[in-house]
Amino acid sequence: MPDLDPAAGPDVVPAADAGLAHDPVFELHQGGKMEIASTVALNGPVELSMAYTPGVARVCEAIAADPQLYGDYTWTSNTVAVVTDGTAVLGLGDIGPRAAMPVMEGKAVLFKQFGGIDAIPICLDTTDVDELVETVVRLAPSFGGINLEDISAPRCFEVEERLKQRLDIPVFHDDQHGTAVVVLAALENAMRLTGKYHDTVRIVVSGAGAAGVAVTRILLAGGYRDIAVVDRAGVLHRDRDDLNPVKRALAAETADTTGRWGSLGAVMDGADVYIGLSGGTVPEEVVASMADEPIIFGLANPMPEVHPTVAHKYARVVATGRSDFPNQINNVLAFPGIFRGAFDVRASAITEGMKLAAAQALAAIVGDDLREDFIIPSPFDPRVGPSVAGAVAEAARRDGVARR
């Protein structure tokens, strides 16, 4: 999903037609959005001899003797690789690694702005799962964490899982888990407003790609039980013979336990919550069939599955992925703080407990200011990053993955 301004992505005018010299977007991107800066001064031969040869050799020898010193005396303890193959970029789809670079640069800027984390965009010219995994494994010694970005489903699931098995640093696919964390936080506050209960609320998740799968899994981990996940062919359930392993496993935890199946319209009838992660448009008559005071999160960009003007006719709480409507579900609320917290304790992984803690911390920031148009804080709220980071670090210690 897009991050800071989802509405802007697909509307960018192609370069050939843009009148580049007068387009402020292109002017902002001229020469890229990043640079590398030194943290030490080289004002003379003394500094040079310490920063480089011969002084640097002493640090190298110390790390060779005790690899645990690696994070103390290199940039790795505060540096993440933002890795993509360019196959699922914003709402633009498979545009390739070169066209994906402006987005990855933007992601790196967000890491720095909202988490104080250095990030390096890495756009790989391969879509082969084995090559992606092997390349990242070989690059991993240069980084303290790996943020996977805009890799299409279902390959993204395998890439992430294999990297988690092979690396002892945090691996996080933001399109999945960043979205999931923010959705859970927003839903928890929407539930407070409507007085609905975890064990009785009926949820429909439209979309079984990366975000849909992760959102469903974090909702299950958060105590929600009655969830129907819908793709283009209808509800995921055991009797379908067209499900890949990821969808089949998700069906076993959702509709297979509740007996729900059929079309989107069938499961929306009487549902309390709709979470759109698929695109397309939900007919108004289907929206009207939901339970009283429903919660509607239409997160497709630039056009939500249920436009807010329609959603507000029926819903108590409405959220989108856009910055021009209230309650923006924005990944930047999650990933900088999650990595900040993981780095602060030198975590070896990002656990489910750390994701849940991030969601709970986000929800708590709203506090007594909760209202229908304020269920999630702004990315520019200065409490967001530190609150999420602190909760994540504490959860890492509880889960036994903290190394300091």
Side-chain angles (χ1 to χ4, degrees):
M1 292 180 63
D3 297 305
L4 195 59
D5 190 0
D11 296 331
V12 172
V13 179
D17 305 319
L20 306 189
H22 305 291
D23 188 317
V25 172
F26 283 90
E27 289 175 359
L28 183 144
H29 284 79
Q30 183 71 40
K33 299 189 290 290
M34 300 173 58
E35 65 179 4
I36 299 295
S38 173
T39 62
V40 298
L42 297 179
N43 296 321
V46 173
E47 290 93 343
L48 180 60
S49 69
M50 290 194 294
Y52 201 54
T53 185
V56 72
R58 293 167 53 192
V59 181
C60 295
E61 290 173 334
I63 294 172
D66 181 5
Q68 295 300 317
L69 297 175
Y70 186 54
D72 294 324
Y73 295 106
T74 69
W75 79 339
T76 56
S77 62
N78 195 53
T79 305
V80 62
V82 180
V83 179
T84 190
D85 63 0
T87 55
V89 181
L90 300 181
L92 304 173
D94 185 355
I95 60 174
R98 289 171 179 80
M101 179 57 85
V103 178
M104 301 309 116
E105 286 184 0
K107 195 80 171 190
V109 171
L110 298 181
F111 265 111
K112 189 66 172 181
Q113 176 71 28
F114 295 105
I117 293 169
D118 296 312
I120 302 298
I122 297 177
C123 299
L124 299 179
D125 194 8
T126 179
T127 60
D128 180 82
V129 169
D130 291 336
E131 291 182 355
L132 288 169
V133 171
E134 292 303 324
T135 302
V136 174
V137 167
R138 282 158 176 73
L139 289 170
S142 297
F143 301 98
I146 306 295
N147 185 86
L148 301 173
E149 191 76 21
D150 293 349
I151 299 173
S152 63
R155 295 175 311 113
C156 60
F157 303 119
E158 184 178 357
V159 170
E160 182 188 32
E161 189 57 36
R162 287 170 57 179
L163 288 174
K164 287 165 64 176
Q165 291 171 2
R166 294 185 60 180
L167 299 178
D168 65 348
I169 57 176
V171 176
F172 187 80
H173 184 204
D174 185 52
D175 301 321
Q176 293 185 61
H177 310 301
T179 303
V181 165
V182 182
V183 167
L184 177 60
L187 183 58
E188 289 289 282
N189 280 333
M191 294 281 287
R192 285 173 54 201
L193 275 174
T194 59
K196 297 179 185 291
Y197 299 97
H198 288 62
D199 55 352
T200 58
V201 69
R202 280 187 52 205
I203 301 174
V204 175
V205 175
S206 177
V213 170
V215 165
T216 303
R217 292 207 178 282
I218 203 170
L219 294 181
L220 290 167
Y224 295 91
R225 293 290 172 260
D226 192 342
I227 306 173
V229 184
V230 183
D231 65 7
R232 289 186 179 89
V235 176
L236 307 188
H237 62 85
R238 66 168 67 90
D239 295 331
R240 285 180 51 180
D241 59 7
D242 61 340
L243 301 183
N244 62 40
V246 172
K247 290 185 178 182
R248 188 165 298 282
L250 199 62
E253 298 181 71
T254 55
D256 287 359
T257 67
T258 61
R260 300 194 188 284
W261 61 80
S263 65
L264 173 66
V267 290
M268 284 282 279
D269 189 3
D272 299 284
V273 179
Y274 170 82
I275 301 172
L277 297 156
S278 60
T281 301
V282 180
E284 184 170 346
E285 60 269 22
V286 172
V287 178
S289 73
M290 296 180 71
D292 292 339
E293 294 195 335
I295 298 163
I296 296 177
F297 291 0
L299 305 183
N301 284 298
M303 290 303 297
E305 295 89 346
V306 183
H307 195 276
T309 57
V310 174
H312 279 296
K313 293 182 183 180
Y314 308 96
R316 173 81 181 274
V317 182
V318 176
T320 73
R322 290 173 49 154
S323 60
D324 53 347
F325 292 107
N327 298 329
Q328 183 190 16
I329 305 300
N330 191 328
N331 291 13
V332 78
L333 288 162
F335 67 83
I338 289 173
F339 271 96
R340 177 75 275 149
F343 282 175
D344 286 346
V345 296
R346 300 277 175 85
S348 59
I350 294 175
T351 66
E352 294 305 309
M354 293 160 74
K355 297 172 199 171
L356 287 172
Q360 292 160 0
L362 268 179
I365 290 170
V366 172
D368 294 337
D369 294 325
L370 178 66
R371 58 183 186 270
E372 283 79 359
D373 62 352
F374 186 59
I375 60 170
I376 198 75
S378 163
F380 295 99
D381 187 323
R383 298 171 296 174
V384 168
S387 295
V388 172
V392 166
E394 183 179 345
R397 294 189 179 98
R398 287 197 306 268
D399 291 348
V401 297
R403 291 182 284 202
R404 60 181 290 178

